[in-house]
Amino acid sequence: MQQSAQQTSREIDITDYLQNAGDNLSAEKTLIDSAIQTLESQGKSVSNSTIILYFISEIENTTDPLQLDALLNALKMVVGFTPGEEERWAFFYW
C-alpha cells in the first residue's frame, strides 16, 4: 500500500497487522489486498476511507452470503484501524 502524507501511522498499521496474522485472516487479507490493487489501478488514492467506501460498494452489489460475510469482516477490520471511525460506526448493526 502506498503511503501518503495524509495517512496516519494507525491507518498503515492494518497492513502490518494482516501480514503478521497468519492464516486466520487470509480471506480478509485477500479482500483488502484486492481492494488496494483495484483502487490503485483506477488511479484513486488509497486510504482507509477509500477502502471503506470500496467495501460498502461491494457489499451492496453481492448476493453471495459467504462473500457478504467476508466483505463485512474485512470492512470491520478497516473501520477498526481507522481513527475516528469506531465511534461513527458504533451503532451500525453488523
Side-chain angles (χ1 to χ4, degrees):
M1 177 160 91
Q2 295 178 344
Q3 296 179 5
S4 71
Q6 298 173 357
Q7 289 178 310
T8 66
S9 62
R10 178 144 183 192
E11 284 181 300
I12 297 163
D13 286 346
I14 191 168
T15 55
D16 293 333
Y17 175 77
L18 289 171
Q19 288 174 349
N20 297 318
D23 293 336
N24 294 340
L25 301 172
S26 62
E28 290 83 358
K29 180 182 181 328
T30 300
L31 286 170
I32 292 170
D33 287 342
S34 175
I36 291 169
Q37 290 175 4
T38 300
L39 292 168
E40 287 177 341
S41 72
Q42 294 173 348
K44 297 180 180 176
S45 67
V46 176
S47 68
N48 287 10
S49 297
T50 57
I51 295 170
I52 289 169
L53 292 173
Y54 174 85
F55 282 133
I56 291 170
S57 175
E58 291 294 307
I59 288 166
E60 289 175 341
N61 293 312
T62 191
T63 57
D64 179 6
L66 294 176
Q67 181 72 3
L68 179 61
D69 188 50
L71 287 166
L72 283 170
N73 287 336
L75 174 61
K76 287 180 200 178
M77 290 183 66
V78 176
V79 166
F81 276 89
T82 306
E85 289 298 317
E86 300 95 343
E87 295 84 17
R88 188 179 307 184
W89 290 72
F91 298 104
F92 183 72
Y93 180 71
W94 296 101

